[in-house]
Amino acid sequence: MTHVLHRNPGLDYACAVRGEGAYLVDRAGKRYLDASGGAAVSCLGHSDRAVIQAIQRQLERLPYAHTSFFSNEPMEALADALVARAPASFDKVYFVSGGSEAMEAALKLARQYFVEKGEPQRAHVIARRQSYHGNTLGALAVGGNQWRRRQFEPLLIETTHVSPCYAYRGKQAGESDVAYADRLAFELQQAIEKLGGENVIAFVAETVVGATLGAVPPVTGYFKRVREICDRHGILLILDEVMCGMGRCGTLWAFEQEGVVPDLVAIAKGLGAGYQPIGALLVSQAIAHTIEDGSGFFQHGHTYIGHAAACAGALAVQKRLHEEGVLARVAPTGRLLEAKLRGAFGDHPHVGDIRGRGLLWGLELVADRATRRPFDPQLQVHARIKREALAAGLLCYPMGGTLDGRQGDHILLAPPFIVDEAQLDELVDKLAMAITLEVHT
Ligand SMILES: Cc1ncc(COP(=O)(O)O)c(C=O)c1O
């Protein structure tokens, strides 16, 4: 009997009691290899001494001081550290407690920027189908995950959704990456023209799409085309790097690999690495200065923003990434994981696509490889694989609705950056077992 309203009250959840590197251990002593970092959170595994000690030290000095009265040392140091490693156009960081809050802050700041700039008619946001930006109402509204949105639709602000950059399903036979990017850019251009470019606040996208599509990187040149179009109309580019940022894709910022610089960037999961809840919004100078020189006040805020212990933990994460070489492990370890995934599943009759970047990988499952036909959604293949993997002691992140919120299944993998080769082998072996059992029985 539990008094907790669990995510799925019908399920009997094991109770996690301990973390050991890449593993979680439940009360019965069962060990689980965490191959998804929960949901791409735990980039340093579950027992990083440096991060834990930094949080403990901070708690002993100062756990919390409300940001309407005080700044605090770890918050200032963390903002310095993030800005120092961001493109020169970024100047400020707004701290929150998670990814949805970072996206809410992005939407409100973008709107306030235009109000203060004397363009209050800008009221529309364009985003992409099959994206996820969080579960609070603003973030849910810009998100394009049909299943998550459906019952809350009457409460959501109107958003225009365009196609995602999803080469496996979206690119036509014989179409080059350039032509595909052009076609998507044209669709965005048309959506903007329909609304009137002067009425649009921002275009919102995940740089690498995480949970909803399953680790889908853009084709080369896509974001450059998007940036050009946004610039032409004075529209802000908001990139959601809550999942794909902070080293997950092999560079601190996923957008570094796209050759573009956004105006606002939301980060969260890998920022705190699971040790404390924290998210942040990187803010360009132009936006920050407009507010500073205008009302002087960002009309937003939550009780726990800039939490000292959370910032101290995230600062220690940054040190581990940059000063102790953990970030540099991501690209080579990611290549190793890719090779192992292609070796194990490259010819698998039910794995239609293997895609990803750094240590964020996705396997799209299909009933028929040749036609790319998805499984019947009623089979709930993704849920069955999750169950099977859990039974085998593997945490991965399977999701359904890959194509349209209803059809399609994929498995997301996001192991910690400290994962070793033996653990990658364990990951692939256990995943192969879970897929085989579920897909063939
Ligand atoms: C890309 C992206 N944006 C936003 C969010 C929301 O973050 P949170 O669950 O911390 O509110 C998520 C969470 O999965 C995400 O993957």
Side-chain angles (χ1 to χ4, degrees), residues 266-416:
I267 50 176
K269 295 167 186 277
L271 177 64
Y275 289 84
Q276 289 286 283
I278 186 165
L281 181 65
L282 263 281
V283 180
S284 72
Q285 286 178 9
I287 296 173
H289 292 172
T290 300
I291 306 284
E292 280 165 13
D293 298 343
S295 68
F297 174 67
F298 176 29
Q299 195 179 346
H300 194 54
H302 302 282
T303 300
Y304 286 119
I305 64 176
H307 193 282
C311 290
L315 186 61
V317 173
Q318 288 296 305
K319 288 203 173 112
R320 295 276 288 121
L321 291 185
H322 302 294
E323 291 166 27
E324 290 163 36
V326 179
L327 174 57
R329 286 177 57 94
V330 176
T333 313
R335 283 193 290 275
L336 196 59
L337 174 59
E338 176 180 5
K340 288 181 191 293
L341 290 174
R342 293 203 188 282
F345 303 110
D347 296 323
H348 193 289
H350 296 298
V351 177
D353 192 30
I354 301 173
R355 69 270 181 136
R357 198 171 269 180
L359 278 170
L360 186 64
W361 283 86
L363 273 59
E364 184 163 334
L365 305 173
V366 287
D368 185 311
R369 249 170 92 109
T371 61
R372 304 184 180 184
R373 177 169 56 84
F375 282 102
D376 178 346
Q378 290 192 341
L379 293 175
Q380 291 279 297
V381 167
H382 61 96
R384 291 160 57 188
I385 288 176
K386 183 172 176 179
R387 260 199 319 272
E388 213 55 61
L390 259 178
L394 177 73
L395 303 175
C396 58
Y397 190 173
M399 280 283 286
T402 319
L403 277 69
D404 54 9
R406 204 181 77 83
Q407 299 184 83
D409 301 89
H410 64 261
I411 301 166
L412 189 76
L413 298 169

Side-chain angles (χ1 to χ4, degrees), residues 90 106 109-110 236-239 262-266 281-284 287:
F90 286 102
L109 186 57
L236 298 179
L237 175 59
I238 302 177
L239 290 183
D263 301 291
L264 291 165
V265 190
L281 181 65
L282 263 281
V283 180
S284 72
I287 296 173

Side-chain angles (χ1 to χ4, degrees), residues 84-240:
R85 289 198 159 82
S89 55
F90 286 102
D91 191 31
K92 300 284 184 203
V93 188
Y94 187 81
F95 288 107
V96 289
S97 303
S100 304
E101 281 189 15
M103 287 306 297
E104 294 290 332
L107 296 171
K108 287 182 71 179
L109 186 57
R111 165 70 187 162
Q112 189 177 333
Y113 164 70
F114 282 119
V115 171
E116 301 218 3
K117 211 169 162 256
E119 299 179 52
Q121 83 288 351
R122 287 194 191 258
H124 295 278
V125 174
I126 304 179
R128 304 190 300 183
R129 290 189 288 280
Q130 296 307 93
S131 58
Y132 180 57
H133 299 298
N135 262 333
T136 50
L137 291 176
L140 191 62
V142 293
N145 183 318
Q146 290 310 317
W147 169 75
R148 290 186 198 258
R149 291 170 55 94
R150 194 162 300 124
Q151 69 171 322
F152 302 106
E153 205 79 52
L155 306 183
L156 303 180
I157 51 168
E158 207 180 297
T159 306
T160 297
H161 288 99
V162 295
S163 302
C165 187
Y166 176 22
Y168 179 62
R169 300 266 175 202
K171 206 166 108 171
Q172 290 161 0
E175 190 175 36
S176 69
D177 282 359
V178 175
Y180 179 43
D182 278 349
R183 185 157 58 81
L184 293 172
F186 182 65
E187 183 187 339
L188 174 59
Q189 177 66 35
Q190 282 187 314
I192 292 171
E193 278 166 17
K194 198 164 162 208
L195 294 164
E198 71 287 1
N199 296 322
V200 178
I201 297 173
F203 178 65
V204 177
E206 293 169 78
T207 317
V208 173
V209 185
T212 301
L213 278 184
V216 175
V219 297
T220 308
Y222 167 78
F223 273 109
K224 282 198 172 142
R225 300 284 287 111
V226 165
R227 179 78 265 190
E228 283 160 18
I229 293 170
C230 287
D231 286 347
R232 203 176 309 144
H233 298 279
I235 293 169
L236 298 179
L237 175 59
I238 302 177
L239 290 183
D240 178 347

